[in-house]
Amino acid sequence: MKNMPKVKKMWVVLISALLMLSLVIVGCNANNKTEQSKKGKYPEKPLTMVIPFGAGGGTDQVARMLAGIMEKDFGQPIICVNKTGGAGAIGYTETANAKPDGYNIVLSTSNISTIKATGNSQLTYQDFEPIIAVNFDAPALMVKADSPYKTAKELLDYANKNPKKLNVGTGTPGGLWHVGVIKLEKEAGVQFNIVPSTTGGASASVSLLGGHVDAIVIPPNEAIAQIKSGEFRMLGTMTPERLKDFPDVPTFNEMGYNVVILSLRGYLAPKGTPAEVVKVLHDHLKKAMENEKYINYMKDQVSNIIYMDSAKYKEYLAKEYESYTKLIEEAGLAKK
Amino acid sequence: MDPVLSAIQMVINPEILLLLLAGVVGGIAIGSIPGLTATMAVAILTSFTFGMSAIEAIMVLLGIYVGGVYGGSIAAILLHIPGTPSAIMTARDGYPMAKQGLAGQAIGISTTASFLGGMISVVFLVLGAPIISRFALKFSAPEYFALAIFGLSIIANVSGKSLLKGLIAAALGILLSAIGMDPITGIQRFTFNEMNLQTGLNFVPLMIGLFGLSEILQQLRNVENHVEVRQEIKNVVPSFSLLKRLSKVIVRSSLIGTFIGALPGAGGTIASFAAYNDAKQTSQHPEKFGEGIPEGVAAPEAANNATVGGALMPLLTLGVPGDAITAILIGAFMIHSLQPGPMLFKNNPEIIYAVYLGTALANIFMLIVGLAGARLFARAISLPNNILIPLILLLCIVGSYAVSNNYFDIGVMILFGIIGYSLDNLDVPMAPMVLGIVLGPMAETNLRNALIMAQGQVSVLFLRPIAAFFWVITIAMLLWPKLKKRWQARSQEVVTEE
């Protein structure tokens, strides 16, 4: 470089600096395949938090919220990565195959209890170490404000007389909201024309807003703007009890249909992650959950906080797996 | 207080302006690095804005958004590597311009067009957001399918000499896009039990290989008799007469970009393809496209920056995202207890006006930074090849890896670099292949969803008014060149008869 003019030398320096910058940015993204030193105190490098659903959706928001709060105390950056597809199977696979060193966790939904039955993946809760449960959502049947159906009964009566006439939008195919619609069909003895949406519940609410479907079954927090502005009307929820935020909306349970669908969110680490590391993660996440920001956020979101420690969460997942596998078989979504 | 006044008070404040400027500069830097996209930047930085006030957070993110969408054009022009997917079309004419020693001018045009596109979309955002986003809601699966088919018809226009080769490339692209999980049933296709293929091929490394690495390979072949290109660094700011010439293209492209941006199911990449196509179709010298014509840079850049204003429309008025970045922005709003959508207009109108103002200011900052930087950027590629090429190669590798921190993607990049190089030497155009990759999944998912919704009635694809409109313009576009030829022949006959 000796015989190069000064300006050009400056350029070599500048481009090299740019490259270094990009390397630094790359370095900020945790990487699950590089070797790390075995010694040292956990955590000593960034934590990768896999979100098995798209950016902007419910799971994505919860993950980014908790990551943001937790990062302050964690001492290392937390990188949220959206790995979408296959009703969450891709994100789960990513984490299940990652090194069980405590630097890879996934924000799971109850899809972990359905993807095996639906044939999306071979994975179950048994391939992971449960860390903590953080919140739950439950789907609700909604229509547009100008819809002729004022109650769930009116809608189901119409569906009863006109099988396959009502277009009912819902989330990802084979996902839990989809299962909820099918369960409702069975319980009420009706048939809808179900329109799943590959990109999740938020797209279903866009469809309803545009009048392309007659009703949707997604959790309230994925259509919150429309519910709050009165553009959507909720006809019934699939929760065991009425939601705190919507005391006037009946549950399908109390209407006499045994449709209870909950999607519980919680964190999972790859199988074999050391218990003491799981404990550290649990404590950090629990602290993040107790943060006012998370509590207010859940309230704004009309979502629900629930806490389970690692052992309880594991117990719950075992039960959930059993009951949802049955549900999916009943719904006819199971793959042999 | 009047919400407009309080919005001005919130935004016109040295601290906020500095944050916005930092966002724009950071966005440009990230956007210009291949592999790092504006979407990633916004997603990652959202968590850093937790500690900020709502207005600070929104301004930083808007700055990154605007800067990042623009920044993609820099690497596209200088290195033939689109920094972001929406800059693919910019490389088509921008890179030839750089090779002719006009890199500075190309960046100047791209900056000015991006600025104008951004500003025009802000005007529409302020004046027509509720109407346009309500109209965008009329788009459902059949409309998106028709739009995807219209997009694929652009193949005819970007195929270069041989339409057949263009079609081969497009079919290859669609085939590649089918790798991964079936969008409706979740069944795996063409994955051969390879874990890394489960989600399909990652688009960014593929693109870096096809465009960037293949170009390096091409240059290596000629490295001995390579003549260093002298960069003409004067006249970075486009002259008034050039702007006047480009004005029609910029306005049309901005309208296309604004509207496509407002559609929740389509984004900047499709907008830039459509705008380039439109510019070529309406041009008097369509044959010069692809050889380094300023229109070819202005059209996609005006369009992709116009998608910013477009994508903000459904976000602000309906609370639904217009693209991947606005999806993340919704989360950022929520974190600060702001609910985008109709309630925001009622409860926090000042935030809406602050977003309008912030987007406009971000565009102005982008113009200043971009024009000031154009000379510097242009100088960067006047480095001797023995230094420049290794640096670009390194950039290709780092960029491919950065997308999802996966070594597999570097392999994908290298493989597609070789494929791109081979295709290039066989005169198979690469733009149709990219079209196939981008539009294949959109066409497939929406075709199948439309048929589910209509319970198998194929007529739904053609009979809905908006879908029908796209089919008509698709057919018209495909027939246009033939008709034009026939008319020209006939008018010549008339002339000779006289």
XYZ file of all heavy atoms in Angstrom, chain B residues 148-239:
696
model
N -49.757 -11.011 -7.531
C -48.535 -11.817 -7.683
C -48.352 -12.224 -9.147
O -47.232 -12.199 -9.672
C -48.593 -13.046 -6.788
N -49.451 -12.582 -9.809
C -49.352 -12.967 -11.212
C -48.958 -11.752 -12.063
O -48.113 -11.840 -12.957
C -50.700 -13.551 -11.715
C -51.007 -14.848 -10.970
C -50.666 -13.787 -13.218
C -49.988 -15.944 -11.161
N -49.538 -10.614 -11.730
C -49.142 -9.390 -12.421
C -47.648 -9.164 -12.244
O -46.920 -8.862 -13.184
C -49.932 -8.192 -11.877
C -49.367 -6.860 -12.285
C -49.412 -6.459 -13.613
C -48.767 -6.027 -11.351
C -48.862 -5.240 -13.991
C -48.216 -4.817 -11.736
C -48.265 -4.428 -13.053
N -47.191 -9.358 -11.011
C -45.761 -9.210 -10.720
C -44.930 -10.160 -11.567
O -43.903 -9.784 -12.128
N -45.394 -11.396 -11.688
C -44.630 -12.377 -12.469
C -44.586 -11.999 -13.949
O -43.631 -12.321 -14.651
C -45.230 -13.775 -12.293
C -44.930 -14.451 -10.946
C -45.752 -15.709 -10.781
C -43.447 -14.777 -10.825
N -45.624 -11.294 -14.403
C -45.633 -10.906 -15.818
C -44.513 -9.915 -16.124
O -44.160 -9.698 -17.278
C -46.989 -10.329 -16.211
O -47.149 -9.049 -15.646
N -43.967 -9.311 -15.071
C -42.858 -8.374 -15.272
C -41.642 -9.106 -15.863
O -40.774 -8.499 -16.476
C -42.499 -7.686 -13.929
C -43.671 -6.826 -13.477
C -41.252 -6.832 -14.042
C -43.487 -6.216 -12.112
N -41.622 -10.436 -15.688
C -40.550 -11.245 -16.270
C -40.311 -10.844 -17.713
O -39.173 -10.695 -18.168
C -40.920 -12.744 -16.236
C -40.975 -13.224 -14.798
C -39.937 -13.576 -17.030
C -41.673 -14.561 -14.662
N -41.427 -10.652 -18.443
C -41.328 -10.325 -19.855
C -40.474 -9.083 -20.064
O -39.840 -8.923 -21.103
C -42.722 -10.120 -20.432
N -40.469 -8.218 -19.073
C -39.820 -6.931 -19.241
C -38.399 -6.866 -18.694
O -37.666 -5.935 -18.971
C -40.665 -5.861 -18.554
C -40.958 -4.729 -19.491
O -40.340 -4.628 -20.553
N -41.878 -3.889 -19.121
N -38.041 -7.835 -17.882
C -36.687 -7.794 -17.313
C -35.862 -8.981 -17.796
O -34.852 -9.317 -17.202
C -36.701 -7.741 -15.760
C -37.269 -6.428 -15.290
C -37.478 -8.907 -15.177
N -36.310 -9.616 -18.871
C -35.627 -10.814 -19.336
C -34.477 -10.523 -20.278
O -33.735 -11.428 -20.632
C -36.618 -11.743 -20.028
O -37.387 -12.393 -19.069
N -34.345 -9.289 -20.697
C -33.263 -8.990 -21.632
C -33.577 -9.555 -23.000
O -34.719 -9.490 -23.464
N -32.577 -10.194 -23.597
C -32.719 -10.575 -25.002
C -33.690 -11.719 -25.221
O -34.465 -11.736 -26.164
C -31.340 -10.949 -25.562
C -30.498 -9.722 -25.842
C -29.036 -10.105 -26.063
C -28.116 -9.369 -25.115
N -26.892 -10.069 -24.797
N -33.615 -12.723 -24.348
C -34.397 -13.921 -24.637
C -35.479 -14.140 -23.594
O -35.188 -14.341 -22.413
C -33.465 -15.130 -24.679
O -34.198 -16.306 -24.493
N -36.733 -14.108 -24.028
C -37.836 -14.331 -23.112
C -37.795 -15.754 -22.576
O -38.079 -16.008 -21.415
C -39.173 -14.063 -23.813
C -40.415 -14.255 -22.947
C -40.386 -13.322 -21.746
C -41.688 -14.006 -23.752
N -37.410 -16.684 -23.452
C -37.366 -18.086 -23.040
C -36.420 -18.266 -21.853
O -36.749 -18.896 -20.860
C -36.916 -18.968 -24.209
C -36.884 -20.457 -23.881
C -38.276 -20.999 -23.631
C -36.199 -21.235 -24.987
N -35.238 -17.652 -21.966
C -34.273 -17.758 -20.869
C -34.815 -17.091 -19.605
O -34.569 -17.554 -18.492
C -32.933 -17.149 -21.278
C -32.163 -18.070 -22.222
C -30.817 -17.489 -22.594
C -30.052 -18.478 -23.458
N -28.830 -17.877 -24.015
N -35.542 -15.998 -19.796
C -36.170 -15.330 -18.655
C -37.153 -16.256 -17.958
O -37.196 -16.348 -16.724
N -37.946 -16.963 -18.765
C -38.937 -17.867 -18.189
C -38.267 -19.031 -17.463
O -38.718 -19.456 -16.400
C -39.877 -18.388 -19.275
C -40.861 -17.342 -19.815
C -41.608 -17.883 -21.022
C -41.840 -16.913 -18.729
N -37.179 -19.511 -18.039
C -36.441 -20.597 -17.383
C -35.952 -20.124 -16.014
O -36.127 -20.813 -14.999
C -35.227 -21.046 -18.244
C -35.727 -21.741 -19.506
C -34.315 -21.967 -17.439
C -34.638 -22.057 -20.516
N -35.392 -18.922 -15.996
C -34.883 -18.380 -14.739
C -36.002 -18.225 -13.718
O -35.847 -18.571 -12.548
C -34.197 -17.039 -14.990
N -37.152 -17.712 -14.177
C -38.276 -17.497 -13.260
C -38.779 -18.821 -12.702
O -39.069 -18.942 -11.509
C -39.401 -16.767 -13.970
N -38.871 -19.827 -13.581
C -39.353 -21.131 -13.129
C -38.399 -21.713 -12.099
O -38.816 -22.281 -11.078
C -39.488 -22.077 -14.317
N -37.124 -21.518 -12.334
C -36.114 -21.970 -11.384
C -36.311 -21.273 -10.037
O -36.237 -21.891 -8.970
C -34.732 -21.652 -11.951
C -33.548 -22.442 -11.421
C -33.724 -23.911 -11.696
C -32.257 -21.932 -12.053
N -36.574 -19.977 -10.108
C -36.816 -19.193 -8.889
C -38.023 -19.708 -8.123
O -37.978 -19.880 -6.904
N -39.106 -19.972 -8.841
C -40.320 -20.458 -8.176
C -40.061 -21.820 -7.548
O -40.478 -22.102 -6.427
C -41.498 -20.511 -9.174
C -41.854 -19.090 -9.621
C -42.714 -21.200 -8.556
C -42.870 -19.016 -10.732
N -39.333 -22.649 -8.272
C -38.991 -23.982 -7.741
C -38.187 -23.845 -6.448
O -38.459 -24.513 -5.456
C -38.190 -24.765 -8.787
C -37.772 -26.169 -8.374
C -38.983 -27.072 -8.229
C -36.795 -26.772 -9.375
N -37.204 -22.953 -6.460
C -36.386 -22.746 -5.262
C -37.229 -22.262 -4.092
O -36.996 -22.625 -2.946
C -35.282 -21.718 -5.544
C -34.143 -22.183 -6.444
C -33.271 -21.004 -6.827
C -33.318 -23.241 -5.735
N -38.239 -21.432 -4.412
C -39.070 -20.877 -3.339
C -39.986 -21.939 -2.750
O -40.570 -21.746 -1.690
C -39.875 -19.694 -3.843
O -40.978 -20.142 -4.600
N -40.158 -23.063 -3.449
C -41.036 -24.116 -2.932
C -40.331 -24.971 -1.878
O -40.959 -25.772 -1.200
C -41.523 -25.001 -4.068
N -39.008 -24.788 -1.740
C -38.274 -25.550 -0.734
C -38.739 -25.120 0.661
O -38.922 -23.932 0.917
C -36.757 -25.314 -0.867
C -36.270 -25.861 -2.209
C -35.988 -25.947 0.283
C -34.818 -25.569 -2.503
N -38.949 -26.097 1.534
C -39.356 -25.772 2.894
C -40.745 -26.274 3.192
O -41.264 -27.130 2.486
N -41.337 -25.730 4.249
C -42.646 -26.236 4.652
C -43.764 -25.696 3.777
O -43.785 -24.524 3.434
C -42.906 -25.849 6.101
C -42.403 -26.890 7.064
S -42.882 -26.482 8.725
C -42.110 -27.825 9.598
N -44.692 -26.567 3.460
C -45.879 -26.165 2.724
C -46.651 -25.133 3.555
O -46.890 -25.345 4.734
C -46.733 -27.415 2.505
C -48.018 -27.108 1.774
O -48.857 -26.363 2.309
O -48.175 -27.633 0.667
N -47.015 -24.002 2.940
C -47.614 -22.934 3.736
C -49.013 -23.256 4.278
O -49.476 -22.599 5.201
C -47.678 -21.751 2.772
C -47.643 -22.358 1.419
C -46.827 -23.607 1.543
N -49.704 -24.198 3.712
C -51.063 -24.473 4.183
C -51.117 -25.717 5.065
O -51.852 -25.768 6.037
C -52.045 -24.639 2.991
C -51.965 -23.435 2.058
C -53.464 -24.876 3.466
C -52.556 -22.156 2.590
N -50.336 -26.729 4.727
C -50.435 -27.962 5.496
C -49.223 -28.223 6.380
O -49.280 -29.070 7.258
C -50.580 -29.177 4.567
O -49.404 -29.246 3.756
C -51.800 -29.048 3.675
N -48.136 -27.512 6.157
C -46.951 -27.715 6.984
C -46.102 -28.910 6.589
O -45.148 -29.238 7.273
N -46.449 -29.568 5.478
C -45.660 -30.719 5.038
C -44.356 -30.235 4.415
O -44.313 -29.191 3.775
C -46.479 -31.561 4.030
C -47.568 -32.301 4.802
C -45.590 -32.550 3.267
C -48.599 -32.949 3.957
N -43.266 -31.025 4.611
C -41.978 -30.575 4.096
C -41.796 -30.925 2.632
O -42.134 -32.016 2.202
C -40.875 -31.233 4.908
C -41.001 -30.884 6.351
C -39.698 -30.888 7.046
O -38.665 -31.198 6.463
N -39.712 -30.518 8.300
N -41.245 -29.952 1.905
C -41.022 -30.173 0.479
C -39.556 -29.932 0.135
O -38.972 -28.934 0.552
C -41.871 -29.176 -0.331
C -43.331 -29.215 0.035
C -44.144 -28.367 -0.883
N -43.845 -26.938 -0.790
C -44.710 -25.997 -1.152
N -45.883 -26.328 -1.631
N -44.397 -24.734 -1.057
N -39.002 -30.819 -0.651
C -37.628 -30.669 -1.160
C -36.600 -30.403 -0.078
O -35.631 -29.687 -0.296
C -37.539 -29.539 -2.189
C -38.492 -29.670 -3.311
C -39.535 -28.767 -3.465
C -38.370 -30.696 -4.235
C -40.427 -28.889 -4.511
C -39.256 -30.822 -5.281
C -40.295 -29.921 -5.427
N -36.825 -30.927 1.124
C -35.864 -30.606 2.184
C -34.852 -31.723 2.377
O -33.833 -31.508 3.010
C -36.574 -30.366 3.529
O -37.374 -31.511 3.808
C -37.452 -29.154 3.483
N -35.132 -32.915 1.800
C -34.199 -34.038 1.874
C -33.669 -34.245 3.283
O -32.495 -34.503 3.487
C -33.027 -33.824 0.890
C -33.498 -33.546 -0.499
C -33.477 -32.252 -1.002
C -33.995 -34.568 -1.306
C -33.942 -31.985 -2.278
C -34.456 -34.291 -2.578
C -34.426 -33.012 -3.070
N -34.556 -34.089 4.258
C -34.209 -34.254 5.666
C -33.095 -33.330 6.133
O -32.419 -33.610 7.113
C -33.811 -35.708 5.967
C -35.034 -36.602 5.947
O -36.121 -36.140 6.274
N -34.862 -37.833 5.534
N -32.872 -32.260 5.418
C -31.845 -31.298 5.832
C -32.517 -30.255 6.726
O -33.403 -29.530 6.276
C -31.214 -30.662 4.588
C -30.334 -29.460 4.837
C -29.182 -29.739 5.781
O -28.438 -30.695 5.523
O -29.039 -29.000 6.774
N -32.068 -30.222 7.971
C -32.639 -29.296 8.941
C -32.709 -27.861 8.418
O -33.710 -27.181 8.530
C -31.745 -29.298 10.194
C -32.374 -29.788 11.456
S -33.877 -28.919 11.814
C -33.216 -27.313 12.268
N -31.583 -27.449 7.826
C -31.473 -26.043 7.431
C -32.398 -25.667 6.287
O -32.543 -24.499 5.968
C -30.027 -25.725 7.049
C -29.137 -25.687 8.258
O -29.412 -24.951 9.188
N -28.098 -26.502 8.267
N -32.975 -26.668 5.653
C -33.879 -26.353 4.550
C -35.332 -26.299 5.006
O -36.214 -25.961 4.233
C -33.717 -27.389 3.427
C -32.413 -27.287 2.633
C -32.331 -28.410 1.608
C -32.310 -25.936 1.938
N -35.580 -26.643 6.278
C -36.969 -26.699 6.743
C -37.736 -25.400 6.550
O -38.911 -25.409 6.236
C -37.017 -27.099 8.214
C -37.006 -28.602 8.395
C -37.475 -29.024 9.773
O -37.983 -28.221 10.541
N -37.308 -30.286 10.080
N -37.071 -24.276 6.780
C -37.755 -22.995 6.578
C -37.547 -22.481 5.166
O -37.896 -21.355 4.858
C -37.231 -21.894 7.522
O -35.903 -22.227 7.893
C -38.097 -21.746 8.719
N -36.957 -23.263 4.319
C -36.690 -22.798 2.965
C -35.344 -22.111 2.904
O -34.680 -21.920 3.918
N -34.941 -21.757 1.687
C -33.658 -21.072 1.530
C -33.797 -19.647 2.023
O -34.803 -18.991 1.792
C -33.258 -21.053 0.054
C -32.783 -22.389 -0.514
C -32.704 -22.304 -2.022
C -31.437 -22.764 0.069
N -32.786 -19.200 2.725
C -32.790 -17.828 3.190
C -32.564 -16.906 2.000
O -31.639 -17.101 1.219
C -31.673 -17.669 4.210
C -32.106 -16.814 5.352
O -32.951 -15.934 5.183
N -31.560 -17.067 6.524
N -33.418 -15.896 1.872
C -33.401 -15.068 0.681
C -32.140 -14.214 0.552
O -31.573 -14.070 -0.528
C -34.648 -14.186 0.672
C -34.781 -13.331 -0.542
C -34.814 -13.903 -1.802
C -34.869 -11.959 -0.433
C -34.936 -13.127 -2.933
C -34.994 -11.171 -1.567
C -35.027 -11.755 -2.808
N -31.692 -13.662 1.673
C -30.584 -12.702 1.609
C -29.259 -13.313 1.130
O -28.643 -12.800 0.192
C -30.430 -11.945 2.945
C -29.186 -11.097 2.945
C -31.649 -11.072 3.196
N -28.803 -14.428 1.705
C -27.555 -15.024 1.198
C -27.668 -15.447 -0.261
O -26.699 -15.320 -1.031
C -27.322 -16.239 2.091
C -28.526 -16.408 2.910
C -29.281 -15.144 2.906
N -28.839 -15.917 -0.634
C -29.079 -16.314 -2.011
C -28.848 -15.123 -2.953
O -28.168 -15.219 -3.977
C -30.524 -16.805 -2.082
C -30.998 -17.611 -3.264
C -32.132 -18.506 -2.804
C -31.497 -16.696 -4.347
N -29.397 -13.993 -2.528
C -29.293 -12.785 -3.318
C -27.852 -12.272 -3.368
O -27.359 -11.859 -4.410
C -30.192 -11.756 -2.647
C -30.461 -10.526 -3.395
S -31.551 -9.516 -2.370
C -30.411 -8.971 -1.106
N -27.173 -12.329 -2.209
C -25.779 -11.868 -2.176
C -24.940 -12.730 -3.122
O -24.082 -12.239 -3.844
C -25.214 -11.922 -0.738
C -25.952 -10.923 0.149
C -23.714 -11.611 -0.731
C -25.501 -10.946 1.604
N -25.216 -14.035 -3.133
C -24.492 -14.926 -4.035
C -24.777 -14.603 -5.489
O -23.860 -14.380 -6.283
N -26.068 -14.554 -5.821
C -26.467 -14.340 -7.212
C -25.918 -13.042 -7.782
O -25.501 -12.975 -8.934
C -27.997 -14.308 -7.327
C -28.740 -15.632 -7.415
C -30.218 -15.371 -7.609
C -28.208 -16.473 -8.562
N -25.945 -11.991 -6.981
C -25.544 -10.690 -7.500
C -24.103 -10.345 -7.156
O -23.337 -9.935 -8.012
C -26.482 -9.591 -6.989
C -27.837 -9.668 -7.583
C -28.818 -10.454 -7.009
C -28.138 -8.975 -8.739
C -30.078 -10.545 -7.572
C -29.395 -9.056 -9.314
C -30.366 -9.845 -8.723
N -23.763 -10.494 -5.877
C -22.456 -10.031 -5.425
C -21.323 -10.959 -5.822
O -20.402 -10.576 -6.551
N -21.410 -12.216 -5.350
C -20.308 -13.133 -5.591
C -20.127 -13.395 -7.083
O -18.999 -13.459 -7.585
C -20.543 -14.453 -4.846
C -19.386 -15.440 -4.923
C -18.145 -14.857 -4.268
C -19.741 -16.766 -4.274
N -21.245 -13.544 -7.804
C -21.126 -13.833 -9.233
C -20.397 -12.691 -9.944
O -19.622 -12.908 -10.868
C -22.498 -14.069 -9.852
O -23.212 -12.877 -9.960
N -20.627 -11.464 -9.484
C -19.953 -10.310 -10.090
C -18.443 -10.357 -9.786
O -17.617 -10.054 -10.647
C -20.585 -9.021 -9.553
C -19.967 -7.743 -10.063
C -20.063 -7.589 -11.576
O -21.006 -8.158 -12.177
O -19.190 -6.930 -12.155
N -18.112 -10.760 -8.570
C -16.692 -10.880 -8.222
C -16.015 -11.916 -9.111
O -14.940 -11.686 -9.662
C -16.519 -11.276 -6.737
C -17.018 -10.138 -5.842
C -15.064 -11.579 -6.420
C -16.966 -10.480 -4.382
N -16.685 -13.060 -9.274
C -16.126 -14.114 -10.118
C -15.916 -13.597 -11.540
O -14.894 -13.855 -12.177
C -17.049 -15.336 -10.125
C -17.198 -16.065 -8.786
C -18.251 -17.152 -8.871
C -15.859 -16.652 -8.353
N -16.898 -12.843 -11.993
C -16.823 -12.267 -13.336
C -15.595 -11.361 -13.454
O -14.858 -11.408 -14.425
C -18.108 -11.462 -13.568
C -18.535 -11.327 -14.992
C -18.993 -12.660 -15.568
O -18.226 -13.347 -16.224
N -20.244 -13.022 -15.306
N -15.383 -10.546 -12.423
C -14.268 -9.600 -12.458
C -12.920 -10.302 -12.348
O -11.936 -9.859 -12.923
C -14.402 -8.595 -11.312
C -15.488 -7.588 -11.576
C -15.373 -6.392 -10.668
O -14.375 -6.227 -9.967
N -16.382 -5.545 -10.685
N -12.908 -11.416 -11.586
C -11.649 -12.143 -11.420
C -11.136 -12.637 -12.766
O -9.946 -12.703 -13.014
C -11.853 -13.333 -10.472
C -11.901 -13.002 -8.997
C -12.105 -14.251 -8.180
C -10.624 -12.289 -8.562
N -12.093 -12.977 -13.623
C -11.710 -13.498 -14.923
C -10.969 -12.432 -15.741
O -10.105 -12.745 -16.540
C -12.960 -13.965 -15.661
C -12.661 -15.058 -16.628
C -13.917 -15.720 -17.092
N -14.764 -14.786 -17.810
C -15.771 -15.173 -18.587
N -16.046 -16.454 -18.712
N -16.506 -14.298 -19.209
N -11.374 -11.193 -15.514
C -10.757 -10.123 -16.302
C -9.739 -9.342 -15.509
O -9.441 -8.205 -15.817
C -11.834 -9.131 -16.773
C -12.994 -9.851 -17.391
O -12.804 -10.861 -18.052
N -14.192 -9.339 -17.167
N -9.222 -9.958 -14.450
C -8.470 -9.130 -13.515
C -7.188 -8.592 -14.130
O -6.739 -7.502 -13.809
C -8.207 -9.891 -12.191
C -7.016 -10.809 -12.293
C -8.058 -8.910 -11.056
N -6.635 -9.341 -15.095
C -5.355 -8.908 -15.646
C -5.466 -7.661 -16.512
O -4.706 -6.718 -16.387
C -4.718 -10.038 -16.454
C -3.884 -10.919 -15.538
C -3.720 -12.297 -16.111
O -3.716 -12.436 -17.353
O -3.610 -13.242 -15.315
N -6.475 -7.696 -17.380
C -6.602 -6.532 -18.253
C -7.614 -5.522 -17.706
O -8.266 -4.812 -18.441
C -6.974 -6.956 -19.681
C -8.126 -7.936 -19.676
O -8.813 -8.066 -18.667
N -8.330 -8.602 -20.781
N -7.722 -5.529 -16.390
C -8.709 -4.624 -15.807
C -8.201 -3.181 -15.819
O -7.108 -2.885 -15.384
C -9.015 -5.033 -14.377
C -10.055 -4.165 -13.743
N -11.394 -4.342 -13.982
C -9.944 -3.101 -12.930
C -12.055 -3.414 -13.320
N -11.191 -2.650 -12.679
N -9.019 -2.324 -16.331
C -8.686 -0.912 -16.306
C -9.455 -0.272 -15.164
O -10.660 -0.405 -15.066
C -9.094 -0.232 -17.631
C -8.550 1.186 -17.676
C -8.598 -1.048 -18.817
N -8.752 0.377 -14.295
C -9.401 1.000 -13.163
C -10.355 2.085 -13.646
O -10.009 2.911 -14.494
C -8.326 1.613 -12.264
C -8.763 1.738 -10.828
C -7.611 2.246 -9.990
O -6.556 1.592 -9.973
O -7.781 3.311 -9.379
N -11.558 2.048 -13.113
C -12.542 3.043 -13.542
C -12.300 4.347 -12.791
O -12.231 4.372 -11.565
C -13.974 2.541 -13.240
C -14.985 3.572 -13.690
C -14.209 1.212 -13.927
N -12.158 5.384 -13.553
C -12.027 6.689 -12.899
C -13.409 7.205 -12.557
O -14.284 7.301 -13.412
C -11.338 7.681 -13.834
C -9.835 7.738 -13.670
C -9.285 8.934 -14.433
N -9.740 10.197 -13.862
C -9.119 10.793 -12.845
N -8.059 10.247 -12.306
N -9.574 11.939 -12.371
N -13.605 7.493 -11.278
C -14.930 7.970 -10.883
C -15.024 9.478 -11.062
O -14.197 10.232 -10.572
C -15.228 7.579 -9.430
C -15.456 6.101 -9.232
C -16.699 5.583 -9.929
O -17.631 6.339 -10.205
N -16.715 4.303 -10.244
N -16.033 9.867 -11.781
C -16.340 11.282 -11.995
C -17.125 11.736 -10.774
O -18.262 11.318 -10.596
C -17.208 11.390 -13.258
C -17.519 12.783 -13.706
C -16.318 13.423 -14.393
O -15.672 12.734 -15.212
O -16.059 14.593 -14.085
N -16.485 12.530 -9.915
C -17.197 12.774 -8.661
C -17.855 14.146 -8.615
O -18.417 14.543 -7.621
C -16.276 12.501 -7.457
C -15.565 11.185 -7.713
C -17.068 12.384 -6.169
C -14.974 10.516 -6.577
N -17.833 14.823 -9.708
C -18.557 16.102 -9.732
C -20.048 15.841 -9.917
O -20.468 14.726 -10.212
C -18.025 16.968 -10.876
C -16.750 17.717 -10.483
C -16.166 18.441 -11.686
C -15.156 17.560 -12.393
N -14.753 18.038 -13.706
N -20.833 16.867 -9.783
C -22.276 16.802 -10.067
C -22.987 15.652 -9.371
O -23.730 14.907 -9.978
C -22.527 16.661 -11.568
C -21.815 17.731 -12.350
O -21.691 18.855 -11.852
N -21.344 17.394 -13.516
N -22.721 15.513 -8.082
C -23.416 14.469 -7.340
C -24.891 14.824 -7.198
O -25.770 13.971 -7.322
C -22.764 14.289 -5.955
C -23.630 13.447 -5.066
C -21.398 13.653 -6.121
N -25.153 16.104 -6.961
C -26.544 16.544 -6.866
C -27.102 16.618 -8.282
O -26.526 17.274 -9.143
C -26.623 17.926 -6.182
C -28.063 18.377 -6.069
C -25.963 17.875 -4.819
N -28.201 15.893 -8.530
C -28.736 15.880 -9.894
C -29.100 17.294 -10.358
O -29.602 18.098 -9.580
C -29.997 15.019 -9.774
C -29.939 14.354 -8.467
C -28.993 15.101 -7.604
N -28.810 17.581 -11.613
C -29.108 18.904 -12.145
C -30.614 19.085 -12.291
O -31.368 18.112 -12.299
C -28.452 19.064 -13.507
O -29.084 18.189 -14.416
